[in-house]
Amino acid sequence: MMFLNGLLAFGALAFTIPLAIHLLYRSKFKTIQWGAMHLLEPVVRINRRRIQWMHLLLLLLRCLLPILLAFCLSLPLLTGCRALPGDTAQTVVMIIDDSLSMAARDESGVSNVDRIKSQLGDYLGNLSRRDEIIWMPASEIHSVASTAGRATMGTNDARDRLRRLTASSGPFDLAKVVRAGIAAADNGSHLERQVLVVSDFQSCNVNDASLEGLKTLMQASPSDLARPAIHFLNIGGTLNARENLSVDSIETMSPALVPDRRTTFSARIRNASDKAVSDARVTWSIDGVNAEAGLVSVAARSTSMINHTAAFTSSGIHEVAVTVEHPDALLEDNRRSVAVEVIREIDVLLVDGQPGKEPLSGETDFLAIALSPFAFAQQDQVDAVRASVISESELLKRMSEQPPNIVVLANVGSLSDEQQVKIADFVYNGGSLVLFDGVNLTKAEYIKSWKSGEGEMPLPAQLDVIIGSPDSDTETPMRIGNLNSQYTPWARLAPGDQRPLSGVDVFAYRKLIPRVIQARVIQDGKGKNDNAKAPSDSDSIVLMSMSSGDPLVVSAQRGRGRVVQFAIPADDSWTSLPLRRIYLPMMQQLALDLIGSGRATTVITGEPMIVSLDEFQQNDDVVSESESTDAKSNPSKTKAKQAAGQVAADSDAEPPIFTVQPPRSSETTIPLPSDWKADEATELVWAETRQAGVYRFRQIRRQADGERVVTSTVRVAEVPAEESQLRDTEPERVVAAAEMIGATLHADLDSIESAEQNRRYGREIWRWFLFALLIAMILELVVQQQIVHKNHGSIA
């Protein structure tokens, strides 16, 4: 305990005054003998001890009064046997939840983020100018924690950042937030530190994984000697009662989209309230243009699906959006967008290992029809795949002149070393290879060891013996078993049918042994280790199997591409599969899945966006501009140059300028590294994706002749669906999380200010002494009256 007015505490010595009076008064007593004294002796003997105790109590109270008064005037504080920081400068780490749920409005129309702006503004105004503030929105904890110096600011700057705070990000992990806050506080300038976490503490933020993370954090640093003071400000508690209708997701039924080919999109609408919603209007839009509207009804605490069919006229990245019109607590999640990539016609190269002279007698005849049915039937509709049949001798020339998207080797018995290396490079650079079995593969050497530069490219499976007899018509045919339920393209072939291929006859198949990739070291020509390709290879996955369990189709990742290996030929020599109706959609879905570029066109808020530079040259829907006089008079000139690839190939032109326009913000130039080279760079990375919505990227390239060409592409950042569920965390769970890390839990900022006041200056207890002083004064009067009463009674 300490005293703010320590000198006044010496006033407690005034207790010596009543003590001295008592002692002096007692010494003046004289014994006088008088005649009737013997009559009072029995009464005096009976009351003497009681009167003595009453006088001692009165003396104690009279001595206690100046002591309590002195303690009241000296303002005592409880310090817990520690030194108090007082008004020393401090570092305050402010972690503000800027997730979408903070924008939820109450009955008065005020959101949590607006309410906290007002309260935190007053809180910041009460801080000292010497205090430093580290501003950390929950969506920026990773970047700020590692660059605390750039996030440090004064109270005025913090209040300005507070005014510009928006709630549009995804959920956060409480353990990661606390860890980042402690790390940022450790980088602060002052020894006195505190971390303030302001959130509505949704259930998705304080889950079991978060609690386990907090436990791990405390186990890693069990001592709290250097730990900053941590405060939780819970402004939630009423989310469960708020109504909300949201768009959870938008999905397409096709693994890849091609121009002029209709595809179905499906949107999931969620009702997070206890009241059913009927006939809410839903509007679809493509690239900002409204396409179709409908109505949807959603039961309480349930979801509904609504579909839309569309066809894109051009390739490139397109925005598909769904908007549901319904007044609720969180209007921001009534719209959701996704960016989908529409690719050009898929170019498939079919290498026929055993051509036939009669129709449908070649190895690839059935496959060519399945991949391009409209071209085979000479119809006007557009095929998603353009299939070209060649022989082994034409392979190198065709791959060099016009690299395909997919190469199919159907019963090809031999490949030269040069052909093997060419195909391996094609796969590792992102192409896809499909291998169909046949009698010619029994003696094929490349199947055993596929050459790839100075190393080898392992195929998904090793070849074993042929099971069954393709030439025997007397044996009972074997049956195909289950499809891999995890392989989405084939799972959509026959919804609800667990065995859509059960009626297919298989007379023979190759026994495949799926390969497990081991750690490999590839030696280059100079004897150096090259592990660049090894980590990108994956173990094999069985996509289809026989009823006996033997693999029938095996797939594996090799570099940036994939290899699919069939245990049967592509024709009908070993199986009746090519004669079945399901063969066409199965092969088309496989081709569409293999050509899927894998670009993350839609990301979660906070995740970086990666934009491939070839999008600025290869997309059909890019916006091309020309600001020179020649381009205005002859716009086809720019388009011809772009189509011919001259824009990208003009090495004499100035380096391009890349810009990005985030949602609800102005266009910004993307800084390029000092060592950036146009002929070597392959992608742009944009990490500032806290805001949900559409991000528009542009490339501005000035040609040597002064003409300027502008091309663009888009990406979409969206908030995870769980942020729209508006579910409060159980109070016990929040309390447990706070206790786990020694944090204090508060419902308002006044409580935090009081707690900080006690922590920095100690707990004021002068009121307790004042209360004790009043009680002592009353007791002194009562005791004195009792003594007088006893004395009078004794005399009487």
Side-chain angles (χ1 to χ4, degrees):
M1 185 173 67
M2 63 174 293
F3 302 93
L4 294 182
N5 299 325
L7 292 177
L8 295 181
F10 289 102
L13 297 177
F15 82 93
T16 59
I17 297 175
L19 179 61
I21 293 174
H22 175 79
L23 295 176
L24 293 175
Y25 179 77
R26 187 180 62 175
S27 64
K28 292 181 180 180
F29 289 156
K30 294 181 180 181
T31 302
I32 301 175
Q33 298 294 333
W34 60 297
M37 187 65 187
H38 66 281
L39 299 176
L40 299 177
E41 285 182 358
V43 177
V44 172
R45 282 197 304 268
I46 295 173
N47 295 325
R48 179 179 298 169
R49 184 174 298 274
R50 180 181 300 175
I51 294 175
Q52 287 177 347
W53 280 108
M54 294 291 287
H55 277 285
L56 288 176
L57 179 59
L58 182 61
L59 174 64
L60 177 62
L61 291 173
R62 288 174 174 173
C63 292
L64 187 61
L65 290 177
I67 295 176
L68 293 176
L69 180 59
F71 279 11
C72 286
L73 296 177
S74 60
L75 299 179
L77 301 172
L78 286 180
T79 64
C81 300
R82 58 186 173 87
L84 295 180
D87 60 351
T88 58
Q90 61 176 332
T91 296
V92 182
V93 180
M94 303 190 69
I95 303 179
I96 313 299
D97 181 3
D98 58 347
S99 61
L100 187 63
S101 64
M102 290 285 287
R105 299 163 183 83
D106 56 17
E107 294 76 5
S108 62
V110 180
S111 65
N112 284 337
V113 69
D114 291 334
R115 185 178 296 107
I116 203 61
K117 282 182 180 181
S118 175
Q119 297 179 11
L120 280 179
D122 297 336
Y123 178 79
L124 290 171
N126 294 332
L127 295 179
S128 170
R129 292 184 178 181
R130 297 174 298 155
D131 296 336
E132 69 170 358
I133 300 171
I134 299 179
W135 180 264
M136 291 182 63
S139 59
E140 300 180 11
I141 57 174
H142 299 293
S143 58
V144 177
S146 59
T147 58
R150 284 183 287 174
T152 301
M153 60 190 68
T155 56
N156 291 334
D157 292 335
R159 295 173 79 171
D160 181 64
R161 291 287 298 270
L162 179 65
R163 284 191 292 268
R164 293 185 282 114
L165 179 67
T166 59
S168 61
S169 300
F172 64 87
D173 185 285
L174 183 59
K176 294 180 180 179
V177 161
V178 173
R179 182 179 290 106
I182 294 175
D186 291 340
N187 293 328
S189 304
H190 305 301
L191 295 177
E192 186 62 25
R193 299 160 295 150
Q194 64 164 303
V195 177
L196 174 60
V197 181
V198 183
S199 174
D200 57 8
F201 291 100
Q202 270 210 98
S203 58
C204 58
N205 299 327
V206 194
N207 49 31
D208 293 338
S210 297
L211 295 181
E212 190 64 29
L214 290 176
K215 184 184 299 182
T216 303
L217 175 62
M218 292 302 101
Q219 290 174 351
S221 55
S223 175
D224 60 352
L225 295 179
R227 190 181 306 156
I230 304 176
H231 303 293
F232 286 173
L233 177 57
N234 186 1
I235 61 173
T238 62
L239 293 177
N240 295 345
R242 303 184 188 182
E243 297 183 3
N244 188 43
L245 195 68
S246 62
V247 183
D248 265 13
S249 63
I250 303 175
E251 298 178 351
T252 176
M253 303 300 291
S254 301
L257 306 178
V258 294
D260 301 315
R261 185 180 179 89
R262 298 182 68 82
T263 187
T264 300
F265 292 92
S266 180
R268 182 183 300 275
I269 312 299
R270 177 180 296 277
N271 181 7
S273 64
D274 296 324
K275 182 180 179 181
V277 175
S278 299
D279 297 334
R281 180 180 175 84
V282 178
T283 304
W284 291 82
S285 63
I286 308 294
D287 294 327
V289 179
N290 290 344
E292 184 182 17
L295 300 177
V296 64
S297 297
V298 192
R301 300 291 178 186
S302 183
T303 62
S304 292
M305 305 295 295
I306 186 168
N307 299 329
H308 171 65
T309 302
F312 298 91
T313 58
S314 60
S315 63
I317 310 296
H318 296 264
E319 178 202 0
V320 179
V322 176
T323 304
V324 56
E325 299 177 10
H326 183 263
D328 51 40
L330 192 57
L331 298 176
E332 286 77 3
D333 62 2
N334 288 15
R335 175 184 171 88
R336 180 174 289 270
S337 300
V338 294
V340 296
E341 181 179 10
V342 180
I343 61 176
R344 290 192 179 94
E345 188 179 36
I346 303 172
D347 187 9
V348 179
L349 204 58
L350 306 176
V351 183
D352 197 329
Q354 193 171 342
K357 297 181 180 180
E358 301 295 329
L360 300 180
S361 62
E363 288 286 340
T364 59
D365 291 351
F366 286 97
L367 187 57
I369 296 174
L371 293 176
S372 304
F374 298 127
F376 177 79
Q378 297 183 352
Q379 296 183 9
D380 294 335
Q381 299 186 50
V382 179
D383 284 312
V385 179
R386 181 178 69 250
S388 303
V389 181
I390 63 171
S391 61
E392 300 103 323
S393 58
E394 303 174 84
L395 180 60
L396 286 177
K397 181 180 178 182
R398 285 295 304 272
M399 291 188 68
S400 299
E401 292 177 350
Q402 186 177 356
N405 302 113
I406 303 173
V407 173
V408 178
L409 302 181
N411 197 18
V412 176
S414 63
L415 289 176
S416 65
D417 292 351
E418 186 179 1
Q419 289 173 325
Q420 295 178 45
V421 172
K422 185 72 173 180
I423 295 176
D425 291 341
F426 164 76
V427 171
Y428 276 113
N429 288 326
S432 297
L433 173 65
V434 181
L435 297 172
F436 282 93
D437 214 298
V439 294
N440 294 340
L441 263 67
T442 303
K443 298 181 179 180
E445 294 297 328
Y446 72 89
I447 292 295
K448 302 176 183 177
S449 176
W450 194 299
K451 293 180 174 56
S452 174
E454 298 296 328
E456 296 180 2
M457 181 182 71
L459 294 178
Q462 298 176 355
L463 270 60
D464 205 339
V465 298
I466 297 178
I467 307 298
S469 175
D471 299 326
S472 176
D473 296 333
T474 60
E475 295 185 3
T476 303
M478 295 170 283
R479 298 300 179 187
I480 297 177
N482 297 328
L483 298 173
N484 188 337
S485 60
Q486 303 299 319
Y487 189 54
T488 305
W490 286 355
R492 299 189 179 117
L493 292 177
D497 189 352
Q498 297 295 327
R499 300 185 61 187
L501 302 177
S502 58
V504 175
D505 296 333
V506 178
F507 301 100
Y509 68 90
R510 177 84 62 178
K511 186 174 181 60
L512 298 179
I513 304 175
R515 193 185 302 269
V516 177
I517 294 298
Q518 304 292 335
R520 297 182 295 116
V521 177
I522 303 174
Q523 300 286 339
D524 63 9
K526 299 180 182 180
K528 298 181 179 179
N529 294 338
D530 179 13
N531 292 310
K533 296 179 181 179
S536 58
D537 294 349
S538 66
D539 294 341
S540 301
I541 301 174
V542 177
L543 304 183
M544 184 189 303
S545 59
M546 297 294 296
S547 57
S548 62
D550 288 339
L552 194 62
V553 182
V554 182
S555 174
Q557 189 81 20
R558 296 294 179 259
R560 293 168 51 198
R562 287 173 57 193
V563 180
V564 179
Q565 198 169 347
F566 281 77
I568 55 176
D571 60 6
D572 62 343
S573 59
W574 291 12
T575 175
S576 64
L577 178 59
L579 304 176
R580 301 292 182 178
R581 182 178 298 178
I582 199 171
Y583 186 68
L584 187 151
M586 187 175 72
M587 291 297 104
Q588 286 200 342
Q589 289 293 325
L590 176 64
L592 290 172
D593 179 63
L594 291 176
I595 196 56
S597 65
R599 289 172 178 157
T601 53
T602 302
V603 302
I604 299 299
T605 51
E607 295 181 354
M609 292 177 174
I610 301 176
V611 180
S612 178
L613 296 186
D614 60 9
E615 295 181 42
F616 295 108
Q617 279 81 40
Q618 297 179 2
N619 292 347
D620 295 338
D621 65 339
V622 294
V623 179
S624 298
E625 298 178 351
S626 177
E627 296 184 350
S628 64
T629 304
D630 294 339
K632 291 181 179 179
S633 60
N634 187 11
S636 61
K637 179 181 178 181
T638 300
K639 295 182 179 180
K641 292 175 66 177
Q642 182 180 342
Q646 296 180 17
V647 173
D650 192 352
S651 59
D652 296 333
E654 298 179 2
I657 298 174
F658 297 97
T659 65
V660 59
Q661 184 175 4
R664 299 175 296 278
S665 299
S666 57
E667 189 172 16
T668 303
T669 301
I670 301 176
L672 299 177
S674 57
D675 57 348
W676 193 88
K677 296 181 180 179
D679 55 345
E680 296 180 1
T682 59
E683 61 188 22
L684 292 175
V685 178
W686 181 254
E688 301 296 327
T689 61
R690 294 193 305 110
Q691 299 291 330
V694 180
Y695 290 72
R696 305 189 183 279
F697 295 86
R698 295 202 309 162
Q699 175 188 259
I700 305 173
R701 183 183 290 272
R702 188 175 298 277
Q703 301 301 105
D705 57 1
E707 182 178 338
R708 198 175 85 152
V709 177
V710 180
T711 52
S712 65
T713 187
V714 299
R715 290 291 187 272
V716 170
E718 278 299 333
V719 176
E722 58 263 28
E723 189 65 26
S724 300
Q725 296 182 11
L726 301 184
R727 303 295 294 177
D728 289 310
T729 304
E730 299 86 348
E732 299 79 10
R733 182 177 287 265
V734 181
V735 171
E739 292 178 348
M740 194 174 297
I741 59 174
T744 57
L745 182 61
H746 307 272
D748 54 66
L749 280 171
D750 291 339
S751 175
I752 294 180
E753 291 181 334
S754 177
E756 275 298 298
Q757 179 76 12
N758 294 334
R759 186 182 69 86
R760 293 173 63 83
Y761 299 99
R763 184 182 299 274
E764 295 182 354
I765 58 174
W766 64 269
R767 293 180 180 85
W768 300 354
F769 285 99
L770 179 59
F771 183 71
L773 175 63
L774 295 176
I775 294 177
M777 293 175 65
I778 296 173
L779 288 177
E780 193 268 343
L781 293 176
V782 172
V783 172
Q784 185 175 358
Q785 290 297 324
Q786 288 291 327
I787 292 175
V788 172
H789 177 73
K790 292 294 183 181
N791 289 337
H792 288 175
S794 299
I795 295 173

